[in-house]
Amino acid sequence: MAAGRFYGNADVDIRYDVILDPVRESNLFRLLMRLQLAMGIVPTPRLPMWWPKWLKSVGVGLARGYCSIVIFTSLHLGVLFTKTTLDVLPTGELQSITDSLTMTIIYFFTGYGTIYWCVRSRRLLAYMELINREYRHHSLAGVTFVSNHASYRMSRNFTAVWIMACLLGVITWGVSPLILGIRTLPLLCWYPFDALAPVTYTAVYATQLFGQILVGVTFAFGGSLFVTLCLLLLGQFDVLYCSLKNLEAHARLHSGDSIKHLSVLQGELLLEDSTREVNQYAFLKEHPTDLLLLLSGFGRTDPQSLDNVLHKGLKECVRLHRFILHCSMELENLFSPYCLVKSLQITFQLCLLVFVGVSGTREVLRIVNQLQYLGLTVFELLMFTYCGELLSRHSIRSGDAFWRSGWWKYAHHIRQDILIFLVNSRRAVHVTAGKFYVMDVNRLRSVITQAFSFLTLLQKLAAKKAVPEL
């Protein structure tokens, strides 16, 4: 095995341990891509090359038709709830106003989310393909390693759980009339005809249930995509930090050092749990490399110069760091407009849901549905802000990882490269909302504060209405 194959390791399958270092995943976004098709945000899907031209035209036509149906369903329900809100405004009934206004916000945001990801579908697909092609599935060859498979597994499990949670919340609301055995609609909004008539009831009910499913899928996709990308980038930062920590070991390994000396260095780097530095990595766990398995792969390759291998290893770390920064910048470009509208939507929705929960009727099923929506809204806000905070804090720790290695023994050979890398390592990664503010824990506190300020205002209005006129 040539030593050069360890640099990049994007298109080779080198394993440092049979169990702890699984094979490289070819597609990190398989579940999200299926969700894209389900929610109708891929107007130009990539079809098999062996399909004839007429069949491809039919496939693209069906995809665009389904996208149009999804967008129309969300927007027309938003318009109907807008008319309902305008009708109940003169009555002054705050509960009815907040109910219809909440659904108006939800369905217009669903329409916005669908249109936004339809417009960005090609750019998003190119971004996913770049990550699948260039990501490092483990750190550089050394005496210890981390495997990116843990972050992939965590993101996949989170995506599955979050999709089920979102769908459960909206479908429970959609099938509540069937559970209660009442001939009514799950969404009480204005229609220009009798929606409860025998001829129209089934069609209207099916449309509203489909709209509820679209709400759940749209909310699930945006949140799970953001968390997945953040987890994968944090995993890549962990791979980078472990590679920096093993720079000396990497050079000694390729320069033909003995297993005895490498085992001593392994014991120095991989300390016991009681003495190991905490929070070196965001999610990945460091493991000892199976040195016998690794060295057996070198075959009869001639040892290289230690200085030369050290410089090559540092260049690979620089390439990985530039790849992570590029992916982080693209994450910011993709989600900045989305996060701006999302934060506004969460602010108003959180306020209205709490007000309806406090001042509304005490029906058991209604309370359960309101708690589901409230829990999903709060958790979604926490997802965006907490992951943004983690990414920002963890992105500037390259210098700390550097000092865990013994590179300083050979600093006269790589002095200029180290200075350039350390300067670039201070560039923190941020995800903003429309370039106005950063999505971090400060934004979490700000949104909750604003939401409860609006809640206080609504409660005062409700209290004034309750006071009888003198």
Side-chain angles (χ1 to χ4, degrees):
M1 182 185 300
R5 293 185 65 194
F6 285 101
Y7 305 114
N9 63 72
D11 57 347
V12 296
D13 184 26
I14 304 168
R15 300 175 68 182
Y16 303 153
D17 190 277
V18 177
I19 299 176
L20 299 176
D21 190 16
V23 296
R24 177 185 171 86
E25 289 289 337
S26 60
N27 188 354
L28 301 173
F29 306 97
R30 188 172 288 107
L31 184 57
L32 284 170
M33 288 180 174
R34 292 173 182 172
L35 187 61
Q36 276 184 286
L37 294 174
M39 66 181 292
I41 59 171
V42 189
T44 53
R46 293 192 175 181
L47 302 174
M49 297 296 296
W50 54 269
W51 280 20
K53 183 177 290 187
W54 67 269
L55 189 57
K56 289 183 179 179
S57 301
V58 171
V60 172
L62 291 175
R64 291 179 178 177
Y66 180 58
C67 290
S68 302
I69 293 173
V70 169
I71 294 172
F72 173 77
T73 302
S74 303
L75 293 182
H76 101 274
L77 286 172
V79 171
L80 293 178
F81 274 109
T82 302
K83 178 64 169 68
T84 306
T85 304
L86 295 175
D87 288 344
V88 298
L89 275 176
T91 65
E93 297 179 2
L94 288 179
Q95 180 179 335
S96 300
I97 295 172
T98 52
D99 275 344
S100 56
L101 187 58
T102 300
M103 301 309 297
T104 302
I105 293 172
I106 288 175
Y107 275 101
F108 273 126
F109 178 79
T110 302
Y112 165 79
T114 305
I115 296 173
Y116 181 83
W117 292 119
C118 277
V119 173
R120 293 294 188 101
S121 61
R122 289 188 178 181
R123 185 170 183 174
L124 178 59
L125 179 60
Y127 183 42
M128 291 179 174
E129 289 179 344
L130 171 66
I131 294 178
N132 283 330
R133 185 174 61 252
E134 299 293 339
Y135 86 96
R136 274 63 166 175
H137 65 291
H138 54 206
S139 54
L140 282 179
V143 294
T144 66
F145 73 95
V146 294
S147 174
N148 190 69
H149 191 268
S151 63
Y152 161 70
R153 185 175 61 249
M154 188 182 302
S155 64
R156 181 191 59 194
N157 293 341
F158 176 85
T159 299
V161 172
W162 181 241
I163 291 172
M164 289 189 290
C166 291
L167 289 178
L168 179 63
V170 296
I171 291 177
T172 302
W173 190 298
V175 300
S176 56
L178 299 179
I179 296 175
L180 298 175
I182 303 174
R183 186 182 174 80
T184 185
L185 295 172
L187 305 176
L188 302 179
C189 59
W190 174 86
Y191 278 96
F193 52 85
D194 185 7
L196 298 179
V199 179
T200 58
Y201 177 73
T202 303
V204 173
Y205 195 109
T207 303
Q208 290 192 356
L209 184 59
F210 180 60
Q212 284 292 96
I213 294 174
L214 291 179
V215 169
V217 172
T218 304
F219 279 59
F221 179 78
S224 58
L225 176 63
F226 183 79
V227 173
T228 294
L229 291 172
C230 287
L231 289 177
L232 293 176
L233 289 178
L234 287 169
Q236 289 299 285
F237 273 117
D238 286 349
V239 169
L240 172 63
Y241 297 161
C242 188
S243 299
L244 291 172
K245 180 179 178 179
N246 277 271
L247 267 181
E248 180 192 7
H250 178 75
R252 290 171 59 177
L253 182 70
H254 283 281
S255 61
D257 208 345
S258 66
I259 292 184
K260 180 180 178 180
H261 292 158
L262 292 173
S263 299
V264 173
L265 182 58
Q266 187 178 67
E268 294 175 357
L269 292 183
L270 193 64
L271 303 175
E272 298 294 333
D273 293 338
S274 58
T275 56
R276 188 181 305 173
E277 181 183 350
V278 297
N279 297 327
Q280 292 186 49
Y281 308 107
F283 295 108
L284 305 186
K285 186 176 180 180
E286 190 176 16
H287 305 286
T289 303
D290 188 341
L291 295 175
L292 292 176
L293 175 65
L294 188 61
L295 291 174
S296 65
F298 281 84
R300 297 172 178 252
T301 305
D302 295 330
Q304 301 184 46
S305 167
L306 188 143
D307 298 337
N308 185 36
V309 177
L310 187 70
H311 188 250
K312 287 183 178 179
L314 181 59
K315 286 173 62 177
E316 164 57 18
C317 292
V318 171
R319 282 193 291 266
L320 175 56
H321 190 232
R322 292 179 60 184
F323 164 71
I324 298 172
L325 292 180
H326 173 73
C327 290
S328 301
M329 188 180 300
E330 187 65 14
L331 174 69
E332 155 71 5
N333 293 333
L334 277 173
F335 274 92
S336 182
Y338 185 84
C339 286
L340 177 62
V341 180
K342 167 61 70 174
S343 60
L344 295 175
Q345 174 253 326
I346 288 178
T347 301
F348 289 109
Q349 186 174 325
L350 185 61
C351 163
L352 295 173
L353 285 173
V354 174
F355 176 78
V356 171
V358 172
S359 307
T361 58
R362 294 294 183 265
E363 300 173 6
V364 176
L365 190 58
R366 178 185 176 85
I367 293 175
V368 172
N369 289 335
Q370 292 288 349
L371 287 176
Q372 287 176 332
Y373 266 81
L374 180 62
L376 292 175
T377 303
V378 173
F379 190 75
E380 188 177 28
L381 174 63
L382 180 63
M383 280 171 14
F384 277 90
T385 54
Y386 182 67
C387 287
E389 178 78 16
L390 278 180
L391 195 59
S392 178
R393 287 180 177 271
H394 200 59
S395 62
I396 55 174
R397 301 183 62 191
S398 300
D400 298 339
F402 234 140
W403 290 106
R404 299 187 187 107
S405 173
W407 61 267
W408 46 269
K409 302 174 186 176
Y410 321 97
H412 57 287
H413 298 288
I414 53 175
R415 183 186 301 112
Q416 185 177 0
D417 303 272
I418 291 174
L419 291 175
I420 295 174
F421 182 81
L422 289 177
V423 170
N424 290 331
S425 68
R426 304 309 300 172
R427 295 170 55 188
V429 171
H430 295 295
V431 180
T432 65
K435 310 295 184 181
F436 290 107
Y437 41 79
V438 179
M439 296 298 289
D440 54 13
V441 292
N442 292 325
R443 186 58 192 166
L444 171 65
R445 182 172 59 251
S446 176
V447 169
I448 293 178
T449 302
Q450 293 171 3
F452 278 90
S453 298
F454 290 132
L455 173 63
T456 303
L457 178 62
L458 287 176
Q459 287 179 326
K460 288 182 178 180
L461 291 175
K464 286 183 180 181
K465 184 175 178 59
V467 175
E469 296 184 0
L470 298 178

